[in-house]
Amino acid sequence: MNPVKAALHFPQVTLLLTAAVFLSGVYALMTMPRREDPKITIRTGLVVALYPGATAEQVEKQVTRKIEERLFRFSEVRKGKTWSTSRNNVAVINVELEDNIQQPDLFWSKLRHAMIELKLTSLPEGVQGPSVRDDFGDTVAMLIALHGGSYDYQQLKSYAQRIEDVFRTSRAVAKIARIGEQKEEIRITSSMERVAQYALSPLKVIQALRGRNVVQFGGEVDTSAGSVPMKTSGLFQSEDEIRRVMIDMSSSGQPVYLGDLADVKRVDGEPRTLCRYNGQPALMVSVEMLEGNNIVDFGDELRRKLQLVRQTLPPDLQVDIVADQPAVVEDRISHFIREFGIAILSVILVTLLLLPFRVALIASLAIPVTVAATFGVLNMLHVELHQVSIAALIVVLGMVVDDAIVIADNYVELLDQGIPRDTAAWRCATELVVPVLTAT
């Protein structure tokens, strides 16, 4: 049976299905994922390996070539676009993937395992890495700055960890990172003259420290209740314990401790990055969202969690949101949807003013129903709601109106030819299925 004729023959079923399609579209509009721009798949990455003390030629022969040999075993790698650079102490390989790779994350995961195996089996001792970098397409959803008061970087780090622990309870969180963190280290300083007073060498000092600060299996004791592991003691817990490490015996038979020949201080390491907010030292916490989630809802959830954790932080500690992509996306999407609604209302109003009422009514009803069905299909195809997809809907809005008007005009023309109303109703749409579908 002709589907158009069947739809007219069972109007209750047609109206029910139309209502279901419309409601599914409204539901999709309210729940489908949102973002500012469409996702762009990045098919480029880096493999970096450090070889301290090696020349560029040594790096090329002993590191770069071995990485390339392992890398080009993968069919996903685009051979003509992948190239390497070997310099003193470092090797960098720019990896380009084939265009048909739809899930590059799976490849990068395989490549990391391959590089770990390569380091264990083929690379010379002393090589650091190789490490794989593929996060060039990651977008920070929210950037938070902790600053204020007289807190040092280690205190800011402890407060940042509280926020991170709360954020990690969200299933939509993909990655959390700290920016501007200063690594704490124990610095032991002395002079050759001071060491020479005890007839010691710096190598002996290093060996004494390594002998204490090491984790080893201490064995286990078998009892009737089971095996009890032996826990080795000796790991450093404070600077005083390091100062009390005995290095050797002096010529007079007195023990020589590390504190006798060196100064031991807990300090911040050499900074790699520094962050300031309003002129104050700050620590940044960046949060990324897992793909497929609604970034607007994600932002609301993070703000609620941040408000709760703020109650546990000191009152003079400032916690400011530096970048808030969920708020930007909400504003952009709201703006586009408002413009979209204005466009629909404008078309409906013009249609009602310029066409006969019944024809205008059918054309006007076709707009929200068709748009709602489009949102439902987009949601099923996992197309996210962003400014490009909404702009595309605005562009094609005129086609939806044209389709309804053309079919209504054909209906009126068939009536003018004396064709019965029921026949004209199904023929007007059937005759124009191919041209209307092709044009749309």
Side-chain angles (χ1 to χ4, degrees):
M1 179 182 288
N2 187 300
V4 180
K5 184 184 294 186
L8 294 174
H9 187 66
F10 303 101
Q12 294 84 358
V13 177
T14 303
L15 292 176
L16 183 62
L17 291 177
T18 303
V21 169
F22 180 79
L23 292 177
S24 66
V26 173
Y27 176 78
L29 177 62
M30 302 299 296
T31 60
M32 62 192 304
R34 288 166 165 79
R35 60 191 303 153
E36 185 175 4
D37 297 301
K39 177 177 172 57
I40 299 175
T41 302
I42 304 297
R43 296 181 175 85
T44 302
L46 290 178
V47 178
V48 182
L50 300 179
Y51 195 4
T55 64
E57 184 179 3
Q58 291 173 322
V59 170
E60 173 69 21
K61 292 181 178 180
Q62 301 181 33
V63 179
T64 306
R65 289 185 180 178
K66 293 182 180 180
I67 295 176
E68 289 178 340
E69 290 174 0
R70 183 62 61 91
L71 187 64
F72 288 142
R73 295 180 186 177
F74 293 98
S75 59
E76 296 92 338
V77 176
R78 193 172 182 179
K79 307 302 188 294
K81 294 292 185 178
T82 298
W83 51 277
S84 62
T85 303
S86 299
R87 299 191 181 96
N88 294 340
N89 308 321
V90 63
V92 180
I93 296 90
N94 297 70
V95 184
E96 185 80 19
L97 302 186
E98 295 288 352
D99 294 336
N100 59 354
I101 304 301
Q102 299 300 323
Q103 294 182 320
D105 292 341
L106 297 178
F107 167 76
W108 299 123
S109 179
K110 291 193 300 182
L111 183 61
R112 286 189 176 90
H113 287 289
M115 292 298 103
I116 293 174
E117 181 182 358
L118 180 67
K119 176 180 175 61
L120 296 176
T121 58
S122 302
L123 295 183
E125 186 177 356
V127 174
Q128 301 176 14
S131 61
V132 180
R133 291 288 308 275
D134 65 311
D135 55 353
F136 301 105
D138 294 348
T139 303
V140 174
M142 187 172 289
L143 185 63
I144 300 170
L146 284 75
H147 64 99
S150 56
Y151 302 106
D152 57 27
Y153 280 105
Q154 301 308 317
Q155 292 173 314
L156 292 177
K157 176 183 175 181
S158 65
Y159 296 136
Q161 288 174 337
R162 292 191 196 178
I163 298 176
E164 294 170 9
D165 291 341
V166 174
F167 281 174
R168 286 194 180 95
T169 60
S170 173
R171 297 180 61 182
V173 170
K175 186 187 301 182
I176 300 178
R178 286 191 291 269
I179 305 171
E181 177 184 359
Q182 306 303 314
K183 299 295 184 181
E184 194 177 33
E185 61 184 30
I186 301 296
R187 187 168 296 172
I188 301 174
T189 57
S190 184
S191 62
M192 293 302 297
E193 294 81 3
R194 192 172 174 184
V195 175
Q197 290 178 1
Y198 298 91
L200 296 174
S201 66
L203 183 59
K204 201 160 190 176
V205 176
I206 296 174
Q207 290 175 345
L209 290 173
R210 286 180 176 175
R212 278 285 304 274
N213 200 38
V214 64
V215 178
Q216 290 182 337
F217 178 63
E220 57 186 18
V221 178
D222 293 330
T223 65
S224 58
S227 298
V228 180
M230 301 291 292
K231 181 180 178 182
T232 58
S233 61
L235 294 179
F236 297 127
Q237 302 295 331
S238 65
E239 298 94 310
D240 289 335
E241 292 184 6
I242 300 176
R243 296 188 186 100
R244 291 196 297 267
V245 172
M246 191 176 73
I247 306 300
D248 203 351
M249 300 291 291
S250 66
S251 57
S252 60
Q254 297 294 325
V256 179
Y257 298 100
L258 181 62
D260 298 332
L261 53 88
D263 297 324
V264 181
K265 295 181 180 179
R266 185 187 298 267
V267 297
D268 290 331
E270 291 296 328
R272 295 187 177 183
T273 58
L274 289 173
C275 292
R276 290 186 175 273
Y277 186 81
N278 288 337
Q280 295 179 330
L283 186 64
M284 303 285 187
V285 177
S286 66
V287 187
E288 298 177 14
M289 186 188 70
L290 198 64
E291 291 294 333
N293 289 280
N294 190 322
I295 194 170
V296 177
D297 295 339
F298 180 65
D300 294 337
E301 182 183 5
L302 290 187
R303 293 188 200 96
R304 288 194 301 269
K305 292 180 179 296
L306 184 60
Q307 187 64 32
L308 291 176
V309 76
R310 271 177 173 169
Q311 300 174 7
T312 67
L313 300 177
D316 57 341
L317 178 67
Q318 301 295 321
V319 181
D320 295 305
I321 299 178
V322 180
D324 192 351
Q325 194 189 32
V328 174
V329 172
E330 184 177 16
D331 181 69
R332 290 282 184 89
I333 297 298
S334 300
H335 174 74
F336 271 97
I337 290 179
R338 183 172 61 251
E339 297 294 330
F340 191 40
I342 293 174
I344 291 177
L345 293 177
S346 301
V347 171
I348 292 175
L349 180 61
V350 172
T351 304
L352 292 173
L353 291 176
L354 300 181
L355 294 176
F357 178 75
R358 291 188 176 183
V359 176
L361 181 62
I362 295 300
S364 301
L365 289 175
I367 297 173
V369 172
T370 306
V371 170
T374 304
F375 280 123
V377 173
L378 290 177
N379 193 31
M380 287 190 298
L381 297 177
H382 304 290
V383 177
E384 297 173 318
L385 195 63
H386 44 70
Q387 56 185 355
V388 176
S389 58
I390 295 179
L393 289 175
I394 296 175
V395 170
V396 301
L397 184 61
M399 296 182 184
V400 177
V401 183
D402 290 343
D403 293 342
I405 293 176
V406 167
I407 292 176
D409 284 343
N410 191 31
Y411 173 69
V412 174
E413 183 177 350
L414 291 175
L415 291 180
D416 293 340
Q417 296 174 6
I419 297 175
R421 181 172 296 182
D422 293 344
T423 303
W426 66 265
R427 280 185 55 184
C428 69
T430 304
E431 293 174 354
L432 296 177
V433 166
V434 175
V436 165
L437 186 60
T438 304
T440 303

